Amino acid sequence: MSEASPAKAYALHLGVIALLFALSFLLPEYYHGLLARIMVLAVFAMGYNMLFGYVGLLSLGHAMFFGAGLYGAGLAVIQLGWNVPAAFAVGLGCGAVLALIIGLLALRTTGVAFMIVTMMFAQVFYLLILYFAVWTGGDQGQVVPQPARVLNFGATSLDLTNPTVRYMSALALFSLVLLVTLATVRSRYGRVLVAIRENEERTKMLGYDTFSNKLIAVVVSGAICAASGAAYALLFGYVGSSFASVQYSILPLLWVLLGGAATTLGPLIGTLFMYYVIDVTSGYTSAYLLIVGVALILLVLFFPKGILGTIRQRWLGWLP
Amino acid sequence: MTDKNGFFDLSKTTLSRRTALKGLAAGAGLAVAPGFVRYSQAQSSAPIKIGFQSHRTGIGAAYGRWYEKTTAAAVKAINAAGGINGRQVEVIIEDDGTDPGRGAEVVGKFATQHKTDIVFGTLFSHVVIGSAPAAGEAKIPYFVVSEGHHVASTKLNRYVFQPGITDVKSQIQSMAPWIAANAGKKVTQIFPDFAFGYDHRDYLPPALKAQGAEVIAQIAIPPTESSFTKYFPQIPAETEVIYHVMVGPAVLTFVKELGEFYGSNRPQLFGFIDSLEAVDINSPGLEFLDGSHFWEGSPRYAQPDDSAAQKAYRAAVGIDDNGAAVGDPKDVSTAAHMFGCWETLYVVKKAMEDAGYKGPEDRAKLVEATEALTAFAEGPEHPQGPKTFNGKIHQCFGIQNISKVEGGKLKVVHKTKIEDGLYEAEGDYTKQAL
Amino acid sequence: MHFGPHLLLAALEGLVTSAVLALTALGLSLVFGVMRVVNVAHGEFFMLGAVLAWAITTAIGGHPALGFLAALVIAPLIVGAIALIAERLVLRRLNYNPEATIVATIGMLYIIQQLALTFYGPEARPVEPPFNYRILLPWFGYSGYKLSIIAASALLLTATWLVLTRTRIGLIMRATQYDSETAQAFGIAVGRVYGGVFALGAMLAAIAAVLIVPISQAHYLMGQDPLLLSFIVVIIGGLGSLRGTVVAAVLIGLSDGIISMFFSPTLAKIIATLLVAMVLVFRPQGLFGTASR
């Protein structure tokens, strides 16, 4: 990472946010709705990138953090009748606490063992959702009632089921997480994380407590993913176990690798790209998974660092 | 047993696929070019567009294929008879991947990109529940053929209807009297540990109790399981009837292992055909089912007393007397459920005509017209049998069949009455705002 | 049922699971151990084996044993060939980079799954076992074929072990696993070894699938569970340890069977998964792995 100019990096990110804001008024209805969803899921990918990209820890269990946010927020509304901000906080809290527990256990392992341990904890989480079907609705899931999905500020209220409100809420969350990520990776702490990724032993010898640093990263990553899950439940009105299945642990990995691991905008690009490929190809053939598969292999063969990673390597060295 | 035309002859596979697609006529054509709208909705001659959310991939793909065939046949019949309100019907298909997230996106795509008049869909209940909020927010009527109790539970919203197939709560309730009278009084239930199984877990015991029988054990099998023998010792020895509702690809294993476990000395078996939809009842290992009984929505095998309407329906969809595709006896249909697609489309036609439906601006009128329906008479439009419709809970109620496996076929031995399956309404959709 | 017979049944079931798991996981373990490649498509090679077994037995007809034996030979060969092609075309070009190969094998997973759906269809299809013999115990009946799976798996595992420890090929593979650069310096064609190992791994999965398909069914989504379980087995057993893989497979198979006696099935799965995860947390190198790898 070159240090050229922080202003350039911030300008780029603010530019992207401004572009997304402008798109809200330009996009046709369908893509408008789709982009709102993509921004929420890109937050999931950014949370994943925090751990995978910057600390180099490959987890196959991040669906549980997304799920914790999804169910934390969804059930707070459905079972307890709480309002939207409280429910969002519950989702976020659930994800952070879960990440802390999982981090304490799973960080005892590294490499492939870390991958498998996280996958197994996620599997346990998934099965618990099924086991407690009385509350969670099991695999069928539950609808978060439309009338409850409203933000009240005194006299005014924002209906989250309104497309524009939904888009702007998604954008707000996305922008916040994007800027937090950017600030984090540019901070001293971010550099420690990268140092751990590059050589954990040496970082330890330099006097850093690598375990605590990694643990913080797991919690931050888990909390961001949970924020995405909570937003998904509140904005799109459905909580279901399929979002906690292993497939949703693989998806953020794919999005991040496609967009470029350890790039701040890569998660958005990857999510956007994957959604767009599926959306377009599914219109032409029911065998779109074949095309997705081929696209993945071609990408990894010719853009091994992901889209943004390759761009950074070849042309724009200053890209964060 | 040998099937020379099966796997290796790829040319034929592609051909039959193509023929099936051809049946979907212009619908497929439009699906090929999303965003390419050839008619303006305002023109009265423009076709009525139905967005069909289909399980083309994922765990529900076997159902999706037959839902598409039945839908294509119904649309062809409707169009041949002049369409709806004099307008032709066009079906646009999108794959939901049998996934609730994708399902919701597909509903959004129909509402905002394809701009279909309604969304018509799908089987798996988690996809329906996941998609329902998207339909409610877009205020687009969403007609499902899912058989789950979720619509009638009134937990979804005013835009979701299930007018073509009886829900599972009603099905279970109408099975109970026959089980208690003919199969046995002590029942052990084996069901998958997910929502489809819970309907059976929750609704069977009270229904049996009302008939003087009881459920003595309930064994829930985790959805990830692929082998079942280790759970069979939990079946109490005094069990008279095993009531099984396993679904998914592992169901053949389940039956086979049950056979190995019990041999010929088995309790009575009663199951829901959901287990064996799209599976040949004469597959190796299924001999064990001989003499056992199944629920069927619509009978898979042609019955001697089939009505003319039933015969015409089977011919139109293209299934032979054994419930397999005409010309390919190995390609067994999902007959017990797919009739719901046919009947639902005719309900849509009736409701659109009642409402004088012209275009998306009349969607609220369409909802109200559907809610105003009360009964569907047996006939070419409703070949499975007569039904009543409760507009408050958006759910229809029809007759159910109990069939016995006999000589490698399913023979209907009992037909329930509509009244057997009626229950107290749990809510009222009509009170919700449109 | 009384406790004794119940335990016997649970143990038998557990052993069958273990037998198939050991074979499948062994393939993954080889690829993992020698090439350091996490093959996410491994479960799809398993699925291909089962689907091909259906195709072959259906095409041959006659006595079920005939078709089954043919499938046992032909299906792994075809799957091995496909794996070899995939390795040459994709993995080698990626220089076996761990992250890139994960994405590439996820891509393969999608491709193989979609091709199976397109050409084979969404249905679950049965394959007749080579023989139908029901062993009648005093308390319950049990499939004779299932017992033969245990024997066949034991035989194959022994054979693989002999090849790895007693032959030149095995020596080369172990050398490559231990230190691929030094192996190369000693004139071992590491690239070719990798190709062979990848194909062999896929073939083992295919053999396991052919063995299990008569008691299960061929279905295009059947690859996921074996993949997850194999991963767990490989890690618990310790990277690249044949003995560890087998012991872990038996352990996991048996515990799955026996825990299911005491708890409701889903709860049993939760407990079993959590237990295995905890083993890993407190012994990250696996049961038989060496500490610093």
Side-chain angles (χ1 to χ4, degrees), chain B residues 207-252:
Chain B
L208 277 179
K209 207 165 172 197
Q211 304 294 330
E214 59 171 334
V215 171
I216 55 172
Q218 294 190 317
I219 303 171
I221 311 272
T224 49
E225 197 53 275
S226 56
S227 154
F228 307 92
T229 305
K230 56 179 176 278
Y231 304 116
F232 294 152
Q234 297 176 13
I235 302 172
E238 66 269 27
T239 298
E240 292 170 7
V241 187
I242 293 177
Y243 176 102
H244 60 98
V245 286
M246 297 309 295
V247 282
V251 65
L252 279 174

Side-chain angles (χ1 to χ4, degrees), chain B residues 6-130:
Chain B
F7 186 80
F8 285 118
D9 191 355
L10 297 182
S11 61
K12 182 185 152 279
T13 320
T14 7
L15 233 175
S16 70
R17 214 182 155 75
R18 208 166 277 165
T19 327
L21 283 174
K22 211 192 272 171
L24 299 169
L30 232 175
V32 162
F36 183 77
V37 182
R38 281 174 292 179
Y39 306 91
S40 138
Q41 285 289 348
Q43 280 174 271
S44 62
S45 62
I48 288 189
K49 295 204 284 185
I50 295 182
F52 182 14
Q53 185 192 29
S54 172
H55 300 323
R56 271 191 171 163
T57 53
I59 195 80
Y63 276 98
R65 210 162 53 83
W66 280 98
Y67 268 41
E68 286 189 20
K69 280 194 187 187
T70 313
T71 301
V75 168
K76 196 174 156 200
I78 290 173
N79 282 340
I84 297 177
N85 281 335
R87 292 162 64 188
Q88 294 287 291
V89 175
E90 185 175 79
V91 173
I92 300 166
I93 302 176
E94 287 278 348
D95 178 18
D96 62 26
T98 325
D99 175 80
R102 181 68 194 153
E105 286 157 31
V106 162
V107 168
K109 195 168 183 179
F110 283 135
T112 57
Q113 191 184 45
H114 296 305
K115 307 214 187 289
T116 62
D117 293 280
I118 62 164
V119 180
F120 166 71
T122 202
L123 177 86
F124 273 60
S125 48
H126 62 312
V127 183
V128 171
I129 296 174

Side-chain angles (χ1 to χ4, degrees), chain C residues 216-238:
Chain C
S216 174
Q217 285 86 38
H219 185 258
Y220 85 105
L221 290 175
M222 70 190 292
Q224 200 188 32
D225 283 347
L227 174 72
L228 297 187
L229 279 173
S230 305
F231 265 138
I232 293 166
V233 164
V234 169
I235 302 296
I236 288 285

